[in-house]
Every structure is written in structure tokens, then in C-alpha cells.
Amino acid sequence: MSKVYGITPSLEHYACVVNILSRAGQFDEVEAFIKEQKLSTHALIWETVLGACKLHGNLDLGETAARKLFELQPKEDSAYVFLSNIFASKGRWDDVQKIRVLMSEEGIKKEPGCSWVGVDGQVHVFVSQDGSHPKTEQIYAKLQDLKQRLSFSGYIPKTENVLHNISSREKIEHLWHHSERLALGLALISASPGMPIRIFKNLRICEDCHEVMKVISYVTSREIVIRDFKRFHHFKLGSCSCQDSW
């Protein structure tokens, strides 16, 4: 970049390299690159590393990245949540509890996840496991119907995305009542057939919901657009515009 194109690499360029290497699981190269380029004081770098560690289940480097973020951004909840999620995916519930205690001691609160969708000129907001909507019964019935249709299509729930110490059956039920699915259920029973569905979410869509949206877009022949805090996801005929990288 410098010699051929005369471009001085910025922090964002370095973060892109870290993202490419870490998503590919090349963590030794990541650590060497961070050390060589003297990037250890930048939160963006460790946020990128921590996200990849969650993707690959790299607990050791994930802990290192999280601890760095605790120092650099002590009041940001994301590092605590990501590390807790990595511990939960490994079944280390005692460590999950320690992170929750640490958050409480530091006065840090996790931002609650929610999704919202517009129907007939009104915005409807849902949280996970929500039962407060006037059409909850119809929404849950629609999701149950989709659950049965998806089971015939070969969909297998990613129960590792449920970061609670509960049974496998409870995890599956928990997944089906994530906020974006509740918003989708309302849209499907309310919107005109064939109309695209647009949903917004304040956090990152989980892997299982992402997979479910792809399959639902295929079995219902509906375009579904979800804007999470990372990017737009345009689901159509069983695929997503992000190409499963977000």
C-alpha cells in the first residue's frame, strides 16, 4: 500500500488484516502481526480478535483479548458479554457467573436485545421470549408451523447458540422465541403475501436465527431483510447477501 499506491495504512486497514487472519483461524499469525505492528493499545484490534475467537471457540486468546478490552474500555459491555458467551459455549458456567459478578461489581449492564418491525404504520418491538404482544398466540402458532416445515427441510437447530444451562429441548424452544423470529412471525401473519419483510435488531443476529431466516425465505418464497447492528442481511431463496460472513 505504501510503496506501490502511496497509501499510508490506517488503524482500520490493520483491523481488516487482523479480521481476515483471525476469521481464517490463523491466530498465531494474528498475535505476531499485532506484536510486529505495535497494535496492542487499540480497542478495535482486540474487538476484532475477540469476535473471531467466539467464532472459532478459541478460549485462550479470547480471554487475552477480553482482558485487554477490560483495560482499554472498562465500561463497555461487549467484551464482558463476548467472553461470557465463549465460556458458556464451552460449558464453563462457573466462569460465566464470575463474569456476571464482575459486571455487577463494575456497574456494567448488558444492553437488552430487541427487534422491531413495522406493520400497518405501527412499530412493534419484541424482546426474546416476549409474551406481551396482543397477537402473541397467533405469532407463536405461526412459528410452530414454521418449525415443523423447517424440520422437513433438514434444518437442525444450533443449540450451542443458547448460552443458558438448560436442557436441549428447552434450548430449541428458546431459539424459536428469539426477538427477530417473533417480529418475523407478526410480519408473516400481517403483511400481504409476497411483500418483503423488513426487521431491525439492536444486536448481532445469532447464527441459528441467520440460518433459520435463510430457510424461511426459501420455504415461504419471501424476501426478508434484517438490519442488525453490524450490517444488512438480505435473505432470498435460501441465501443471504452477507454470504454467511458477518
Side-chain angles (χ1 to χ4, degrees):
M1 289 176 65
S2 301
K3 294 179 180 179
V4 178
Y5 296 102
I7 299 173
T8 301
S10 66
L11 178 61
E12 286 74 18
H13 291 118
Y14 288 115
C16 285
V17 175
V18 170
N19 187 44
I20 291 169
L21 292 173
S22 58
R23 279 186 173 272
Q26 303 298 317
F27 291 109
D28 289 341
E29 290 189 48
V30 169
E31 292 185 88
F33 183 75
I34 291 173
K35 184 177 180 180
E36 178 186 339
Q37 301 298 332
K38 299 179 175 60
L39 301 171
S40 63
T41 59
H42 298 287
L44 176 60
I45 299 298
W46 294 114
E47 288 172 353
T48 304
V49 172
L50 185 56
C53 287
K54 181 178 181 295
L55 178 67
H56 289 280
N58 187 330
L59 183 55
D60 292 337
L61 185 55
E63 282 196 77
T64 299
R67 303 297 176 189
K68 288 285 187 180
L69 288 168
F70 293 168
E71 297 173 9
L72 296 168
Q73 298 177 328
K75 295 302 179 182
E76 289 289 330
D77 69 336
S78 57
Y80 295 88
V81 173
F82 265 100
L83 182 57
S84 176
N85 289 350
I86 295 174
F87 282 141
S89 68
K90 299 293 185 181
R92 292 176 53 172
W93 301 109
D94 289 342
D95 289 315
V96 170
Q97 184 59 32
K98 288 178 182 177
I99 294 295
R100 290 173 179 168
V101 170
L102 180 59
M103 291 178 70
S104 178
E105 291 174 347
E106 296 293 331
I108 298 168
K109 294 184 178 180
K110 177 186 174 183
E111 181 182 7
C114 66
S115 299
W116 58 98
V117 63
V119 174
D120 296 331
Q122 279 193 313
V123 175
H124 301 260
V125 182
F126 296 89
V127 296
S128 181
Q129 318 308 307
D130 205 332
S132 63
H133 195 277
K135 293 187 177 180
T136 291
E137 187 174 338
Q138 298 97 307
I139 292 169
Y140 275 49
K142 184 63 177 180
L143 293 176
Q144 182 63 29
D145 174 62
L146 287 170
K147 178 182 174 183
Q148 294 177 350
R149 293 176 66 182
L150 264 61
S151 66
F152 293 121
S153 72
Y155 157 72
I156 299 175
K158 298 178 184 289
T159 54
E160 63 271 18
N161 288 160
V162 179
L163 304 174
H164 300 282
N165 191 13
I166 55 180
S167 69
S168 294
R169 182 176 179 179
E170 289 173 308
K171 286 182 177 182
I172 293 173
E173 290 303 313
H174 193 281
L175 285 169
W176 273 100
H177 298 145
H178 275 189
S179 63
E180 53 267 63
R181 299 195 204 188
L182 296 174
L184 175 67
L186 176 63
L188 287 172
I189 64 174
S190 305
S192 301
M195 289 291 293
I197 294 171
R198 296 176 177 85
I199 297 168
F200 296 85
K201 184 176 176 67
N202 67 329
L203 302 178
R204 179 184 182 273
I205 186 173
C206 82
E207 293 177 42
D208 191 71
C209 284
H210 191 271
E211 187 65 25
V212 161
M213 294 298 172
K214 289 198 299 182
V215 182
I216 290 177
S217 74
Y218 179 78
V219 299
T220 63
S221 299
R222 296 289 285 266
E223 291 185 36
I224 304 168
V225 179
I226 295 183
R227 176 64 166 104
D228 69 5
F229 92 109
K230 277 284 188 181
R231 68 186 69 210
F232 280 96
H233 298 270
H234 185 185
F235 301 95
K236 183 178 180 180
L237 298 177
S239 63
C240 179
S241 58
C242 79
Q243 298 182 336
D244 298 338
S245 177
W246 77 102

